[in-house]
Amino acid sequence: MDAAGAAEPAAFRRGRRLAVDVGDARIGVASSDPDGVLATPVETVPGRDIPAAQRRLAALVGEYEPLEVVVGLPRSLNGGEGPAAAKIREFARQLAKNITPVPVRLVDERLSTVTAAQGMRASGVSAKKGRARIDQAAAVVILQNALETERVSGRPPGQCVEAAA
């Protein structure tokens, strides 16, 4: 407890994280350093073949050994969820099953792709050349937001996903 009687936020959990931005055609992947300071792009996984994408993501989890995987959950600007969110929730449940015991957390990704696209345009990358990289950049935005949320709140970001049965 601090002087005002409020609970102190928990210490930031040390460990690498992976973030996933799931799209219909491509899945962007980003990773953080073990101290959770910087998120960097990893790769773009083809997204049309869901079983193959899930296998590749599981391989990346094995390679990077993250503390957790955060998956961007698309919400409307008013916070509601539509068909895209339901699809992502199912994808995240399957991912959680495939990578147990590594936890999967859903985090709000509103405007992450827009933010990533603006940043890439500002750095001179054309939309056509940047399609594959924009998914990675969106995953970086999702991960940076998740890291900042945890740093400020002292709690893991978003909601934990229960593995599919």
Side-chain angles (χ1 to χ4, degrees), residues 7 12 15 19-20 29 31 46 52 70 86-88 91 93 99 101-102 110-111 122 140 142 148 151 156 163:
F12 185 81
V20 179
V29 182
S31 173
V70 296
K87 196 166 147 183
I88 299 306
F91 185 93
R93 272 192 292 277
I99 65 171
V102 177
R110 275 180 275 191
L111 304 178
V140 166
I142 290 166
E148 186 60 26
R151 201 171 298 292

Side-chain angles (χ1 to χ4, degrees), residues 119-131:
M120 289 184 72
R121 271 196 308 277
S123 65
V125 178
S126 73
K128 196 168 201 161
K129 285 185 179 172
R131 276 200 190 100

Side-chain angles (χ1 to χ4, degrees), residues 21-44:
D21 177 47
V22 181
D24 288 329
R26 294 171 304 278
I27 299 168
V29 182
S31 173
S32 73
D33 63 287
D35 292 320
V37 175
L38 184 64
T40 55
V42 171
E43 72 178 70
T44 300

Side-chain angles (χ1 to χ4, degrees), residues 1-14:
M1 298 261 172
D2 65 14
E8 296 278 338
F12 185 81
R13 298 170 302 146
R14 191 170 191 287

Side-chain angles (χ1 to χ4, degrees), residues 26-110:
R26 294 171 304 278
I27 299 168
V29 182
S31 173
S32 73
D33 63 287
D35 292 320
V37 175
L38 184 64
T40 55
V42 171
E43 72 178 70
T44 300
V45 175
R48 296 207 189 278
D49 181 346
I50 301 292
Q54 289 275 354
R55 286 191 300 275
R56 180 61 189 141
L57 292 172
L60 287 169
V61 167
E63 182 181 333
Y64 282 81
E65 300 179 343
L67 175 70
E68 66 193 5
V69 175
V70 296
V71 176
L73 179 66
R75 294 181 183 266
S76 62
L77 291 179
N78 70 7
E81 292 185 17
K87 196 166 147 183
I88 299 306
R89 283 185 179 279
E90 182 51 40
F91 185 93
R93 272 192 292 277
Q94 187 60 48
L95 181 61
K97 179 181 177 184
N98 294 343
I99 65 171
T100 296
V102 177
V104 173
R105 304 190 68 80
L106 286 168
V107 297
D108 189 338
E109 71 156 28
R110 275 180 275 191

